[in-house]
Structure formats: C-alpha cells, structure tokens
Amino acid sequence: MSSETLSSAADNSRRSPLSDVKTLVTLGMLTALAYAVMAICKIIPPIGGFLSLDVKDTVIAIGGFLFGPLAALVMSILVPFLEFLTVSDTGWIGLIMNAIATSVFVCPAVYIYRRKHKTSSAVLGLVVGVLCLTVVMVLWNYILTPIFYHMPREAVVDMLPTLIIPFNLVKGTLNSALIMLLYPPVSSALRKAHLVAPSQHLPTGEKPRFNYAPTAVSAVVLVTAILLVLAMLGII
C-alpha cells in the first residue's frame, strides 16, 4: 500500500461531493454497509457495561476518504440516526454520543488526508482523529453519562483514566488499522465498477504500486488492538 494506492480513488473535481447521482448511490451503499456493520457489532458485550465497540467508523471513513469531509459528516450523523430509529436502546443521548464520536474521529482524518493524498497524510489524519475522539469523548461522557445512567459525576471522573480514555484509544486505533488495510482494495473495486472517478494523482494508464510496509504495520496494529479489546472484555 503506497501513497499512490491510497489516493487511487480520490476525485479532485470542483463539484460538490454530494452533487452527482452516482456519488449519492455509492454513499447510500456505504451508509447501508456501515449500518449493517454497526448492527452486527451489537453482539459484542459493552465494555464496562456501557461502552459499545463497533467498527462502523471504518466504513464511514472510507466514504470520506473517497468523497470528502462533507460526505463523511453526513454519514457520521445519518448512521447513528438510523441506529436511533431501529436498534438503539440508549435514546437521544446515545444518538448524540454516537454522532459526535464518529464525526470527531472521521472528519479530521478525512480533512487531513484530502489535503494531500499520501499514506503519510492518511496516517497523520487517523492519529489526529484518534486523539480528537479520545479528548472530546472525555468531555461528553462527563456531561451525559451521569444523566443517562443516574450516577454521580464523580463516578464518571473515576472511570476516565481507567475505562473511558483507554476504550476510545483502543476503539480509534482498531478502526484506524482497519481503514489502512481496507481502503486500498475497496477504493480500487469501486473504481473498477465505475462508482468512483479514476484517480487524478497517477499518470494515465499507470497502476498503483503495492507497498508491503504500511500493510504489515497496519496488520500488527490491528492484531494488537483486537487483543486489547479481548483483554478489556475479560476474555483473555
């Protein structure tokens, strides 16, 4: 996976990312996929009794990498809203928390990557996204968790360093590793299906080169994040 590979599906046209019918169809497909991934992840027991782990952010970030920050923001709100209407048991507070958590992770990563379509920009964007997710969710857990669970705010403060901060770091890292592994093949497949415009960052006719180093690092990070999740669930 190289900088050329990561930029293989980027469209540099000046049109709005939401102005094209084909784009809307593709975003609809990705939104449906993100919803399905969220629903499947419901089988994972909540960590600490209330922190739900899912990887829908991976799909939403891939959509954002392809179509830009506005598309990422729309998906970040739409998928939690659909969850709220169908399978959620956390009401409006869960809707707010999910939408904020997804958008603060995905949108900074997408914005940074779209400025320069390089592997390094993708990595930097995802690191910034993980940090934004962790910091922002400290604030929103402090504000809303006591209201929803009817617990003292001091109890939430005690959970911040031992549960909430580690959870968001691991969740963000898990999604980041999946994004780095899945974005190149997904973008390539969508481009071959003519659902995404050809890359404007490669010379005409040149195929993106595969770089094993980022893939290997992402795989190691993914395995590490999965092991951490299993440890937090008490399975290992």
Side-chain angles (χ1 to χ4, degrees), residues 104 129-141 165 168-169:
V104 299
V130 172
L131 294 177
C132 289
L133 168 68
T134 304
V135 173
V136 172
M137 294 316 293
V138 164
L139 172 64
W140 283 98
N141 274 284
I165 291 176
N168 284 296
L169 286 172

Side-chain angles (χ1 to χ4, degrees), residues 124-158:
L124 175 61
L126 290 168
V127 169
V128 171
V130 172
L131 294 177
C132 289
L133 168 68
T134 304
V135 173
V136 172
M137 294 316 293
V138 164
L139 172 64
W140 283 98
N141 274 284
Y142 178 79
I143 294 172
L144 293 181
T145 298
I147 298 173
F148 184 79
Y149 288 100
H150 306 289
M151 63 172 63
R153 188 155 275 115
E154 291 76 13
V156 177
V157 173
D158 291 339

Side-chain angles (χ1 to χ4, degrees), residues 88-125:
S88 175
D89 58 1
T90 56
W92 66 269
I93 290 181
L95 169 62
I96 292 173
M97 296 282 276
N98 284 333
I100 291 174
T102 298
S103 59
V104 299
F105 167 66
V106 171
C107 291
V110 169
Y111 176 78
I112 292 172
Y113 170 67
R114 295 281 293 189
R115 287 177 63 86
K116 291 184 178 180
H117 298 271
K118 297 181 178 180
T119 301
S120 57
S121 297
V123 173
L124 175 61

